[in-house]
Amino acid sequence: MNRRRFLFIAAAVAFPGPARAEVTTWQADMLGGTVRVDLRGPRGLSRHVADMIGTTIAEVEAAASLFKPDSALNRLNAIGHLDSAPQALSIFSVLPITSTR
């Protein structure tokens, strides 16, 4: 018996019954278009992950949108600095930024 066959049998014994993986689809109009994510797994976990994805994208969009007048990016463009950057923009702090001037 090879390793793959052993793992298949062990998984079948450990998790009897039909597989519970289902497709959960999350979709919203964000970031200037339609965003869609298909998740496969237990419904409760997939729904939780989909909610987290939506929340994270909404935070980034609220902070970095040129189309929302109250976004951090519009405030930065208007006054030239931010007193406190939103957490959603923290990813930009690790990017190497080089001025071409």
Side-chain angles (χ1 to χ4, degrees), residues 1-93:
M1 175 183 308
N2 63 25
R3 184 177 66 149
R4 182 175 293 170
R5 180 76 177 145
F6 170 77
L7 290 174
F8 180 80
I9 292 170
V13 170
F15 303 103
R20 298 277 184 224
E22 299 177 25
V23 176
T24 299
T25 299
W26 176 88
Q27 183 172 324
D29 291 328
M30 298 179 139
L31 304 172
T34 300
V35 178
R36 177 181 168 157
V37 177
D38 293 327
L39 300 167
R40 288 170 178 74
R43 178 150 312 275
L45 177 61
S46 296
R47 188 76 251 153
H48 176 70
V49 170
D51 290 343
M52 288 175 38
I53 290 169
T55 300
T56 301
I57 292 175
E59 288 173 3
V60 170
E61 185 175 41
S65 175
L66 288 173
F67 304 105
K68 295 181 184 281
D70 60 337
S71 74
L73 185 57
N74 274 330
R75 287 195 320 271
L76 176 63
N77 286 339
I79 61 175
H81 72 281
L82 291 175
D83 292 325
S84 61
Q87 181 66 29
L89 296 181
S90 64
I91 186 169
F92 298 113
S93 67

